[in-house]
């Protein structure tokens, strides 16, 4: 088993750039994925395979990776982006792990 | 587009077995593209992966829950199921089913169903 570590909270002003990090020793060997979850709703995939964006996800969402850290970047943050964000990874044996989640506050 | 819908009792007594079913529509569960998974979220807390299954029956479980979890698939009904035995209050959560692309990430989710463990 392995762990993924996220900051509990990130705050950003509208129009600025938010960066949410996710760290884990397994990440150099495995892809990172990101989900957005708004209150009372199921999570929505916003980034897969470190930096790929599913259809329908705004271009302001992007992902990157460096060493043991994957990063979700939201450029030109909007009020509707306020939500919880979870990173996730999975190994070749099928074991899946989620990070603890980061609450993004749009000031 | 795939749609998933969880169903099952919303209240389970301590020490009993939680049973949920996920109905899949908009596509066949017997596809090589997807695995089928369960994720849960205790109230006010984060997401926890429970496990997943391939339509041919291969299963993958969270090591911390493995001794209590069984996931099965019924291809004739296009659905898959979760059983969690010996439940306690700590198992109270919203339970989501999801399609797992290549068994790596969840791209379609059900709306979730709250299961409360209480006597």
């Amino acid at each position: 088993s392995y762990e993924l570590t996220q900051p509990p909270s990130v705050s950003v002003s509208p129009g600025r750039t938010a960066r949410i990090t996710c760290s884990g020793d397994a990440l150099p060997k495995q892809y990172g994925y990101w989900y957005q979850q708004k209150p009372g709703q199921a999570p929505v995939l916003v980034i897969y395979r470190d930096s790929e964006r599913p259809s329908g996800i705004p271009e302001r969402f992007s992902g990157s990776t460096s060493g043991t850290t994957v990063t979700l970047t939201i450029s030109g943050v909007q009020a509707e982006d306020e939500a919880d964000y979870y990173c996730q990874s999975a190994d070749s044996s099928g074991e899946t792990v989620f990070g603890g989640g980061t609450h993004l506050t749009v000031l | 587009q795939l749609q998933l819908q969880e169903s099952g009792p919303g209240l389970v007594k301590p020490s009993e077995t939680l049973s949920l079913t996920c109905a899949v529509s908009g596509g066949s569960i017997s596809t090589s593209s997807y695995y089928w998974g369960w994720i849960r979220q205790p109230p006010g807390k984060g997401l926890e992966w429970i496990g997943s299954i391939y339509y041919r029956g291969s299963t993958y479980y969270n090591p911390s829950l493995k001794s209590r979890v069984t996931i099965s698939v019924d291809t004739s009904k296009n659905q898959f199921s979760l059983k969690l035995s010996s439940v306690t209050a700590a198992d109270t959560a919203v339970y989501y089913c999801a399609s797992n692309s290549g068994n790596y990430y969840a791209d379609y989710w059900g709306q979730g169903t709250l299961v409360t463990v209480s006597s």
Side-chain angles (χ1 to χ4, degrees):
Chain A
S1 190
Y2 56 95
E3 295 183 354
L4 298 175
T5 301
Q6 300 179 233
S9 62
V10 169
S11 299
V12 64
S13 298
R16 307 289 289 206
T17 296
R19 293 182 180 84
I20 301 173
T21 59
C22 172
S23 299
D25 290 340
L27 289 175
K29 304 181 291 294
Q30 300 169 192
Y31 285 120
Y33 307 90
W34 290 96
Y35 302 88
Q36 176 194 67
Q37 186 181 34
K38 296 182 179 180
Q41 298 182 18
V44 172
L45 181 72
V46 295
I47 294 290
Y48 66 102
R49 293 188 198 133
D50 292 341
S51 59
E52 301 291 325
R53 193 173 51 250
S55 60
I57 300 302
E59 291 185 6
R60 64 180 181 274
F61 289 87
S62 64
S64 60
T65 182
S66 178
T68 60
T69 299
V70 291
T71 301
L72 172 69
T73 300
I74 310 172
S75 305
V77 167
Q78 301 181 7
E80 67 196 51
D81 299 330
E82 182 160 303
D84 293 325
Y85 292 85
Y86 294 91
C87 65
Q88 176 245 307
S89 192
D91 64 21
S92 58
S93 74
E95 182 177 354
T96 293
V97 171
F98 286 96
T102 298
H103 182 73
L104 176 68
T105 299
V106 181
L107 300 171
Chain B
Q1 179 168 321
L2 286 176
Q3 293 185 319
L4 297 93
Q5 179 67 58
E6 307 90 349
S7 62
L11 181 64
V12 181
K13 290 183 169 56
S15 79
E16 295 189 345
T17 296
L18 178 159
S19 296
L20 295 173
T21 296
C22 181
V24 178
S25 59
S28 172
I29 204 169
S30 303
T31 174
S32 60
S33 300
Y34 286 107
Y35 291 65
W36 306 95
W38 290 96
I39 299 108
R40 70 180 183 179
Q41 185 172 36
K45 297 188 178 181
L47 301 170
E48 179 180 32
W49 176 70
I50 299 171
S52 60
I53 190 166
Y54 191 52
Y55 77 95
R56 290 183 174 174
S58 303
T59 52
Y60 309 82
Y61 296 138
N62 184 326
S64 68
L65 298 171
K66 187 174 184 176
S67 63
R68 299 194 292 130
V69 173
T70 302
I71 297 176
S72 59
V73 63
D74 187 337
T75 55
S76 67
K77 295 182 179 179
N78 222 41
Q79 64 185 33
F80 61 106
S81 299
L82 167 70
K83 291 188 185 299
L84 181 66
S85 64
S86 304
V87 297
T88 69
D91 295 308
T92 293
V94 175
Y95 286 76
Y96 295 100
C97 61
S99 60
N100 290 7
S101 182
N103 209 25
Y104 287 104
Y105 62 95
D107 45 4
Y108 294 98
W109 294 66
Q111 65 184 24
T113 187
L114 174 63
V115 179
T116 301
V117 178
S118 175
S119 55

